[in-house]
Amino acid sequence: GAGVFRNYRDPRIIWTGIQSSDKLIKLNELITAGLRENGFETEEREFNPHLTLGRIKSIRDPEDLKKALESYSQTVFQTVKVNEIILFESILMQTGPLYKPLGVFNLS
């Protein structure tokens, strides 16, 4: 499916969901623990596996966005096998986000 982070009145991120699994949850726990051990701040909210499709600075009609995304709320877009995960740092700048790779984790 698809949705937004924050809320539809003031959306900031458009996302598509990823089916959770025990392995994915464990990987998230390992990455989070490693980040904390190395002095990084981590999220306190519950892990929500997703892919960020885009960031929104402003929107004219949030209701149109809501209707469009809700029409895909139960859609399976694609099934793919993931062989590696790249951990990125997202640095928000006035010119747009800069994504800095921090590490590559092979899963095969």
Side-chain angles (χ1 to χ4, degrees), residues 38-52:
N38 287 285
F40 289 92
E41 289 186 34
T42 59
E43 295 281 341
E44 294 301 323
R45 54 189 161 186
E46 185 178 341
F47 177 54
N48 183 0
H50 69 281
L51 294 175
T52 297

Side-chain angles (χ1 to χ4, degrees), residues 5-16:
F5 285 137
R6 195 170 276 179
N7 58 56
Y8 280 106
R9 289 183 316 278
D10 189 20
R12 290 293 168 227
I13 302 288
I14 299 175
W15 57 265
T16 185

Side-chain angles (χ1 to χ4, degrees), residues 10-46:
D10 189 20
R12 290 293 168 227
I13 302 288
I14 299 175
W15 57 265
T16 185
I18 298 174
Q19 184 176 1
S20 190
S21 70
D22 291 341
K23 287 182 180 182
L24 186 57
I25 291 168
K26 180 65 175 170
L27 179 61
N28 177 66
E29 290 170 354
L30 289 169
I31 291 171
T32 299
L35 288 170
R36 285 185 185 138
E37 288 172 13
N38 287 285
F40 289 92
E41 289 186 34
T42 59
E43 295 281 341
E44 294 301 323
R45 54 189 161 186
E46 185 178 341

Side-chain angles (χ1 to χ4, degrees), residues 40-99:
F40 289 92
E41 289 186 34
T42 59
E43 295 281 341
E44 294 301 323
R45 54 189 161 186
E46 185 178 341
F47 177 54
N48 183 0
H50 69 281
L51 294 175
T52 297
L53 300 176
R55 295 180 185 273
I56 301 172
K57 289 186 179 183
S58 65
I59 188 167
R60 287 188 205 141
D61 192 342
E63 197 57 39
D64 279 349
L65 176 63
K66 181 178 182 180
K67 287 177 190 172
L69 291 179
E70 283 180 346
S71 70
Y72 294 104
S73 67
Q74 299 301 313
T75 301
V76 175
F77 293 104
Q78 187 173 4
T79 300
V80 296
K81 179 178 169 108
V82 177
N83 296 313
E84 71 179 13
I85 292 178
I86 303 173
L87 180 64
F88 286 93
E89 177 181 6
S90 176
I91 304 165
L92 300 180
M93 305 177 74
Q94 286 185 342
T95 56
L98 174 68
Y99 299 105

